[in-house]
Amino acid sequence: MWYAVEGHDGQDVLAKRLAARADHLARLHALRDEGRLLLAGPCPAIDAENPGPAGFSGSIVIAEFASLEDARAWADADPYCAAGVYVRVDVRPFLKVLP
């Protein structure tokens, strides 16, 4: 089943985010390579594709996991959690309707 994973950034964590980005992306690439990634990306903190020093308010990942527990375990192991980028991570089932 698909699950939406939404990480919420803390305040002033852009440097931490950039430092952990390569490890974070490696996990997303692994999901993609396994055919389990629907989409992933950050949410700019301002209305701009490149928010510069404003940074990001969080990230959204929609990926396939065997269970909600597996999705939560994957989310909890995110390098952004370990680096203190995310202050909260929400994981919930997602039903793809379109396209």
Side-chain angles (χ1 to χ4, degrees):
M1 180 165 186
W2 295 108
Y3 293 90
V5 178
E6 186 172 8
H8 302 269
D9 285 21
Q11 293 294 315
D12 301 316
V13 295
L14 183 57
K16 291 178 182 180
R17 179 182 263 274
L18 294 174
R21 187 170 189 262
D23 292 337
H24 172 79
L25 289 177
R27 298 176 80 235
L28 294 172
H29 290 156
L31 286 176
R32 179 201 59 201
D33 294 348
E34 294 168 6
R36 298 173 42 210
L37 183 64
L38 183 63
L39 66 86
C43 300
I46 60 173
D47 190 13
E49 286 188 28
N50 181 0
F56 301 90
S57 62
S59 302
I60 297 172
V61 174
I62 299 179
E64 188 175 33
F65 294 94
S67 67
L68 180 58
E69 293 77 21
D70 287 349
R72 285 185 176 142
W74 183 89
D76 288 344
D78 194 297
Y80 283 173
C81 290
V85 174
Y86 293 155
V87 294
R88 186 176 97 236
V89 178
D90 299 322
V91 180
R92 57 192 180 272
F94 178 82
L95 181 60
K96 182 179 184 263
V97 175
L98 293 171

